[in-house]
């Protein structure tokens, strides 16, 4: 998109190493803990097959799922039960590694729109969950909002059908000038970046993607339009040679630091009021429905 470099006065870009592979509940988790200590955030990825058996055979599964246990037991489809159990297991184990506590001690709830949050122990840890096909990715942060989203890198999507829903006018114009293969790749990256950003805000796809603009600087780093202070940082990684995983993060000052957390950027001004979390994932409808995508409470 835009090839403009960072604005003067912009805070230094955050470094985003590739997500950590975690093949099962036993980890390894050391790298997650090291990243939390060094940067305040970490993203992990795994697959259903690697976690399915140890998660479902865990004698502590009921305790691990907590308030999600009735939903797990009552789900009419076996695939839905497995999706719920494994994705929540990966999320809780990742959060537990970041906090260095037992996963069963964590209490998971949901904000309006489906964003998962921790209550009680670990309530200051921000979490984000995404899954597509066999991939699961989780982001955790002690240093500000975080959002993650994933999509198959080989997915074929229609630029003509999605441009008005996903792109700003400037983004659509620049994408239209690209060769088809490059256009599809850039549109997928743009889509996952916007999902990650709105997840970090807690809005999910209830917010119009065409109202959120992105550009890429000369180094290929994605930038949020209107974020002149450089409060937000973004990255997209190719994972396992098959999946794009995008992450969004806003660095906040530590609690008690002079000035406190930064003020919302212009792109955030239309946000919704904060509401108390619920233990049940809401079934809120999405503004845009893309073929093959899951609702916010399921992702």
């Amino acid at each position: 998109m835009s090839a403009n470099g960072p604005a003067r006065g912009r805070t230094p870009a955050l470094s985003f190493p590739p997500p950590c592979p975690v093949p099962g509940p036993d980890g390894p988790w050391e790298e997650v803990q090291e990243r939390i200590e060094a940067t305040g955030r970490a993203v992990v990825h795994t697959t259903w097959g690697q976690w399915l058996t140890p998660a479902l055979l865990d004698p502590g599964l009921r305790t691990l799922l907590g308030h999600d246990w009735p939903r797990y037991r009552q789900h009419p489809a076996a695939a839905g039960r497995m999706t719920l159990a494994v994705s929540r297991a990966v999320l809780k184990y990742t959060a537990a590694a970041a906090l260095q506590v037992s996963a069963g001690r964590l209490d998971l709830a949901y904000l309006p729109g489906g964003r998962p949050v921790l209550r009680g122990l670990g309530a200051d840890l921000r979490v984000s969950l995404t899954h597509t096909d066999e991939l699961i990715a989780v982001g955790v942060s002690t240093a500000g909002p975080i959002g993650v989203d994933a999509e198959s890198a080989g997915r074929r999507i229609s630029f003509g059908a999605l441009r008005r829903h996903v792109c700003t006018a400037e983004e659509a114009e620049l994408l239209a000038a690209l060769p088809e293969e490059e256009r599809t790749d850039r549109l997928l990256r743009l889509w996952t970046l916007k999902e990650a950003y709105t997840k970090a805000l807690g809005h999910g796809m209830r917010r119009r993607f065409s109202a959120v603009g992105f550009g890429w600087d000369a180094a290929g780093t994605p930038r949020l339009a209107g974020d002149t202070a450089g409060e937000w940082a973004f990255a997209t990684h190719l994972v396992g040679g098959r999946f794009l995983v995008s992450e969004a993060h806003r660095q906040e000052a530590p609690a008690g630091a002079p000035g406190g957390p930064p003020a919302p950027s212009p792109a955030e001004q239309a946000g919704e009021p904060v509401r108390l979390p619920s233990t049940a994932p809401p079934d809120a409808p999405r503004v845009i429905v893309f073929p093959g995508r899951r609702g916010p409470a399921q992702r």
Side-chain angles (χ1 to χ4, degrees):
M1 311 280 173
S2 171
N4 296 330
R8 292 186 64 184
R10 184 185 293 275
T11 55
L14 300 176
S15 173
F16 286 92
C20 306
V22 181
D26 292 333
W29 296 109
E30 291 80 3
E31 188 171 358
V32 172
Q33 295 164 355
E34 290 171 0
R35 291 189 185 186
I36 288 292
E37 291 173 359
T39 68
R41 68 185 188 281
V43 176
V44 308
H45 72 91
T46 189
T47 65
W48 298 106
Q50 291 175 307
W51 278 71
L52 183 59
T53 299
L56 295 185
L57 295 183
D58 183 352
L61 181 61
R62 181 169 186 166
T63 299
L64 183 67
L65 291 182
H67 297 294
D68 279 320
W69 177 254
R71 183 166 172 245
Y72 166 74
R73 293 286 294 169
Q74 296 164 14
H75 201 290
R81 290 194 296 273
M82 291 187 291
T83 296
L84 177 65
V86 176
S87 62
R88 272 49 175 186
V90 177
L91 190 156
K92 279 200 172 182
Y93 270 92
T94 304
L99 297 167
Q100 300 189 39
V101 299
S102 169
R105 296 179 61 193
L106 300 179
D107 183 15
L108 186 65
Y110 304 89
L111 292 176
R115 181 173 63 170
V117 294
L118 295 175
R119 303 193 307 176
L121 179 64
D124 292 333
L125 185 74
R126 316 289 181 92
V127 297
S128 183
L129 167 69
T130 185
H131 50 80
T132 184
D133 295 337
E134 71 265 31
L135 182 84
I136 306 171
V138 170
V140 291
S141 169
T142 60
I146 189 169
V148 294
D149 190 68
E151 189 56 75
S152 172
R155 183 172 183 183
R156 311 314 300 171
I157 57 176
S158 170
F159 173 62
L162 296 179
R163 61 184 295 170
R164 292 184 179 180
H165 299 296
V166 175
C167 304
T168 65
E170 180 183 7
E171 289 167 344
E173 181 180 354
L174 292 169
L175 283 172
L178 297 176
E180 183 176 359
E181 185 173 347
E182 184 178 353
R183 180 192 308 134
T184 299
D185 177 74
R186 186 58 65 92
L187 181 59
L188 280 170
R189 290 174 182 267
L190 188 64
W191 180 356
T192 58
L193 284 167
K194 291 189 178 187
E195 282 240 35
Y197 172 61
T198 55
K199 284 182 179 182
L201 292 177
H203 299 170
M205 288 187 66
R206 293 174 300 162
R207 182 165 188 166
R208 290 188 303 115
F209 283 4
S210 59
V212 179
F214 275 86
W216 275 260
D217 64 19
T221 303
R223 302 292 188 188
L224 176 66
D227 183 23
T228 56
E231 295 167 351
W232 285 89
F234 305 86
T236 302
H237 295 283
L238 182 65
V239 170
R242 296 183 51 204
F243 300 99
L244 295 175
V245 176
S246 288
E247 52 185 298
H249 181 259
R250 191 179 84 176
Q251 187 77 35
E252 288 186 351
S265 65
E268 297 177 74
Q269 295 298 326
E272 298 182 352
V274 175
R275 300 175 187 173
L276 293 177
S278 166
T279 58
D283 295 319
R286 304 180 106 190
V287 173
I288 308 169
V289 178
F290 296 110
R293 301 288 275 188
R294 301 178 179 89
Q298 299 169 305
R299 302 187 63 213

